[in-house]
Amino acid sequence: MKSKTKSLKRAVIILLSFLTSLSCYTQSIPIDSTFYTNSEIYPFTGIDTITGLKMSGSVSLKSDSSLVRVILKNSSGLEYMVFEAYPLIELETDYSFSQQCDETCYLNFFEPYSIVIQMIDAALTIDTFLVLTNGTGNLDSLQYSCKRINDTLKIETINLNVPRFNLEYTAGDAPTVKDYYYAKKISFGDNYNLGGYDYYIKGITIVRLKSDFQLTLM
């Protein structure tokens, strides 16, 4: 099963690379920084609008409750997720990644303001951002299609990892999975850490929603 999921991950990366290669990522923004706590950076000086954003770097998850999330934000507060990692959606706890774009493979002429970094018991090194500044076609549709491919990979990985974490539930395309990050933030709050609850469709598990509260689902 682990081999199957790794093969799926490679297929997803290849497909996303093909889709995003249809446009030219025209600018590289070096960051070369490691983050251990919540942060906000402003790397978009001189860039008015973008139609795609990818990120390369490495991540280290220190515990079962670790979380890394990288968010692209505009001046009005609209946010899309560039990258997300926590143990249940990963096959490894320490790894490097290249050109990741969870919800940002395509953007409809987005005006970038900042990058928000959310961290819980983890380390994140951002090497570079790749920026797409032109685009054609239905960018909204392309953005959503790429996001849904990433959703499928997360579901497969969660179902592989559930026995390893002694959980008894099945992950699937639950109602909230299709939502973008900004909609999930409205539902679950800022810096939410659901540990895969948003992918839950059936079974029994205990999800820690806050440090002092647990919810049992059946």
Side-chain angles (χ1 to χ4, degrees):
M1 178 65 85
K2 187 171 183 178
S3 175
K4 179 181 177 182
T5 303
K6 283 187 175 180
S7 297
L8 176 62
K9 189 170 186 177
R10 285 194 294 268
V12 167
I13 291 170
I14 291 170
L15 179 56
L16 287 173
S17 296
F18 171 74
L19 288 173
T20 55
S21 70
L22 298 177
S23 301
C24 180
Y25 277 69
T26 56
Q27 185 170 344
S28 176
I29 304 174
I31 304 298
D32 297 324
S33 296
T34 300
F35 302 87
Y36 301 95
T37 59
N38 290 351
S39 305
E40 188 167 5
I41 60 175
Y42 305 86
F44 300 110
T45 301
I47 300 175
D48 295 327
T49 61
I50 61 175
T51 51
L53 181 73
K54 297 180 179 182
M55 185 179 80
S56 297
S58 61
V59 67
S60 178
L61 304 175
K62 307 296 186 181
S63 69
D64 288 352
S65 60
S66 293
L67 172 72
V68 174
R69 192 178 288 126
V70 179
I71 307 297
L72 170 67
K73 184 169 76 172
N74 71 6
S75 59
S76 300
L78 177 61
E79 297 173 310
Y80 288 112
M81 187 162 63
V82 185
F83 176 81
E84 181 181 48
Y86 53 89
L88 207 59
I89 61 170
E90 302 296 345
L91 297 175
E92 301 171 287
T93 56
D94 296 86
Y95 63 93
S96 298
F97 56 87
S98 178
Q99 300 188 25
Q100 295 294 297
C101 51
D102 200 303
E103 298 177 356
T104 61
C105 299
Y106 286 96
L107 298 159
N108 194 359
F109 293 95
F110 191 87
E111 298 179 359
Y113 174 70
S114 69
I115 292 289
V116 176
I117 300 163
Q118 300 174 2
M119 305 287 295
I120 298 175
D121 199 17
L124 170 70
T125 297
I126 301 178
D127 295 334
T128 59
F129 289 109
L130 283 178
V131 174
L132 178 66
T133 55
N134 53 39
T136 59
N138 190 333
L139 294 171
D140 289 329
S141 178
L142 287 169
Q143 179 187 16
Y144 189 68
S145 295
C146 290
K147 174 206 163 5
R148 295 298 279 155
I149 291 171
N150 282 311
D151 290 340
T152 299
L153 175 60
K154 291 179 184 180
I155 290 168
E156 291 290 334
T157 307
I158 290 172
N159 284 323
L160 173 67
N161 282 333
V162 158
R164 295 176 53 227
F165 286 86
N166 297 316
L167 301 173
E168 298 180 9
Y169 80 96
T170 300
D173 202 17
T176 58
V177 171
K178 68 180 184 300
D179 292 340
Y180 285 110
Y181 166 77
Y182 65 80
K184 291 181 181 180
K185 178 179 174 179
I186 292 172
S187 298
F188 303 123
D190 198 14
N191 295 312
Y192 66 85
N193 186 14
L194 303 180
Y197 160 68
D198 40 339
Y199 293 88
Y200 168 92
I201 56 172
K202 64 179 180 179
I204 302 173
T205 189
I206 297 177
V207 179
R208 186 178 295 277
L209 298 180
K210 296 180 181 178
S211 60
D212 59 348
F213 177 74
Q214 292 185 338
L215 174 67
T216 300
L217 302 170
M218 302 182 64

